[in-house]
Amino acid sequence: MNSPASFGSDNQAPAHPSVLEALARANSGHTPSYGADPWTERAQELFRQHFGPHTRAFPLFNGTGANVLGLSSILRPHEAVLCARDAHVDVDEGGAPERFGGFKLVALPTQHGKIAPGSIEASLGYVGDPHRVQPRAVTISNATELGTVYGPGEIESLAETAHAHGLLLHMDGARICNAAVSLGLSFAEITTRVGVDVLSFGGTKNGLMGAEAVVFLREGLGEEFLFLRKQGMQLASKQRFLSAQLVALLEGELWRENAAHANSMAQRLAAAVARAPGLEIAEPVQANAVFARLPKATIGELQQRWPFLVWDEQANLVRWMCAWNTRAEDVDAFAADVHAVAGKFAR
Ligand SMILES: Cc1ncc(COP(=O)(O)O)c(C=O)c1O
């Protein structure tokens, strides 16, 4: 079944053929269940190579599970998480943090989807007040929900501010491959080496069929995560199939190639539509998403032909997302349609 090209989400892309081949290779014979298999051991080794020797990675099914369990593993019942106001964990996880994690999220103001150290400090005025929830962690998404990327200096200053106040830094890395490639840096250079404590590592948006991991980057963290993952319903009995996907992504260059392609298609799209009448590129294009503002009528007509997300109805803000399999000719055809439709309504 062949469906038309989509700019709806990197989740709408298929799994990369080499991931399917890795799954087929893993699909042979009996192997110990619940993570005691050789694929999980190899994935663990690869996470240590990419992130540093103290790394402990726990494969699981999805990003919401990774965020909710990763964060709740570092919080006590009266503690909270500071996040960006656009954070997926706050606005797009269906109340899972509140219901299953049992923690409160405190949304901070953003610029281009990013928070700044000053807004962390500004939200600490009530520390020690028993009537107030006590912040214990800061979470940032890299790449952000708005397709921008925190550089290592920005992450380091957020980590320094968080640590100075006894808070830990969590990164939602649903698109960490896109962020690392955009910066031309290794995973460790944007996480472990700049003070990130816990990471939700994302693979699904970058060519996997469905596998993510909670990754603890410091000694002393995640000691009880084995139990929490099971209790949190994210322990796969046939874990070899999650781990085999992560191995396929991290063993060679697949993580980099897939993300580099998706990012370059977003650049191509942004450049191609930038001069369409009435269109404004709304956010810096630094990963695999293009955010644009354009007249409502243009959005409506384009949506009849191309799947994409209206991010903010009131603001006429749309998101066009590229993926590892986005074809240059589809980008060009879409951009030509954007020009044609925008031109029609501009007349
Ligand atoms: C920033 C971010 N974090 C996490 C997720 C993970 O979501 P899911 O639970 O659908 O895998 C997503 C998916 O859209 C996302 O965009």
Side-chain angles (χ1 to χ4, degrees):
M1 202 161 49
N2 266 331
S3 45
S6 167
F7 294 91
S9 170
D10 33 13
N11 280 332
Q12 295 179 7
H16 192 277
S18 47
V19 173
L20 292 183
E21 284 158 22
L23 281 167
R25 282 195 302 277
N27 190 35
S28 160
H30 283 236
T31 198
S33 48
Y34 297 108
D37 60 89
W39 291 270
T40 299
E41 199 182 319
R42 178 70 183 133
Q44 201 60 255
E45 219 173 85
L46 289 166
F47 274 105
R48 277 197 297 271
Q49 280 170 23
H50 281 287
F51 289 92
H54 297 301
T55 301
R56 297 170 70 194
F58 296 85
L60 33 66
F61 297 111
N62 60 21
T64 297
N67 284 341
V68 171
L69 288 177
L71 283 166
S72 48
S73 76
I74 55 176
L75 302 175
R76 290 174 296 177
H78 56 286
E79 292 176 333
V81 177
L82 308 178
C83 66
R85 65 163 184 235
D86 323 280
H88 191 274
V89 67
D90 193 18
V91 298
D92 265 323
E93 297 189 354
E98 291 82 354
R99 178 163 184 194
F100 294 103
F103 59 88
K104 185 178 177 72
L105 287 143
V106 180
L108 305 183
T110 56
Q111 220 181 359
H112 300 306
K114 301 187 206 174
I115 58 169
S119 52
I120 297 177
E121 274 164 343
S123 63
L124 299 174
Y126 296 102
V127 166
D129 178 347
H131 300 281
R132 300 290 180 129
V133 73
Q134 301 295 296
R136 171 63 175 146
V138 176
T139 181
I140 56 172
S141 301
N142 213 17
T144 70
E145 288 76 2
L146 298 186
T148 53
V149 171
Y150 287 94
E154 290 173 293
I155 301 167
E156 192 161 35
S157 54
L158 288 166
E160 278 169 6
T161 304
H163 294 160
H165 295 282
L167 278 62
L168 297 174
L169 183 61
H170 168 267
M171 182 182 282
D172 175 347
R175 297 190 181 87
I176 190 174
C177 300
N178 304 90
V181 162
S182 167
L183 296 162
L185 295 174
S186 68
F187 291 129
E189 285 170 308
I190 58 168
T191 55
T192 325
R193 290 196 210 148
V194 286
V196 177
D197 300 292
V198 187
L199 167 73
S200 298
F201 177 88
T204 310
K205 295 178 196 303
N206 196 32
L208 300 193
M209 177 178 264
E212 317 274 307
V214 170
V215 187
F216 295 95
L217 301 167
R218 310 244 168 271
E219 265 181 307
L221 291 176
E223 302 290 341
E224 292 166 353
F225 198 76
L226 265 187
F227 308 108
L228 284 180
R229 182 179 53 171
K230 175 68 186 182
Q231 189 178 56
M233 298 163 281
Q234 286 275 337
L235 175 62
S237 54
K238 294 191 177 181
Q239 193 168 294
R240 68 167 125 167
F241 296 112
L242 297 183
S243 298
Q245 295 180 64
L246 293 164
V247 170
L249 193 67
L250 294 174
E251 196 154 43
E253 292 295 301
L254 190 63
W255 68 271
R256 201 194 305 276
E257 288 164 8
N258 282 354
H261 178 81
N263 289 3
S264 76
M265 289 299 106
Q267 289 297 336
R268 185 182 183 106
L269 177 58
V273 297
R275 291 208 186 79
L279 182 147
E280 180 203 342
I281 301 288
E283 299 292 341
V285 179
Q286 295 172 338
N288 58 328
V290 177
F291 280 77
R293 234 174 253 118
L294 63 175
K296 206 175 277 306
T298 312
I299 297 174
E301 185 156 333
L302 281 170
Q303 275 199 310
Q304 287 169 21
R305 301 188 218 167
W306 299 90
F308 62 84
L309 198 79
V310 178
W311 187 262
D312 182 340
E313 195 95 40
Q314 304 302 320
N316 291 336
L317 182 66
V318 300
R319 185 189 75 174
W320 296 326
M321 185 68 90
C322 297
W324 70 267
N325 69 328
T326 302
R327 301 183 324 161
E329 53 266 45
D330 290 326
V331 169
D332 297 347
F334 178 52
D337 257 2
V338 171
H339 276 274
V341 177
K344 195 169 92 182
F345 288 107
R347 278 201 291 271

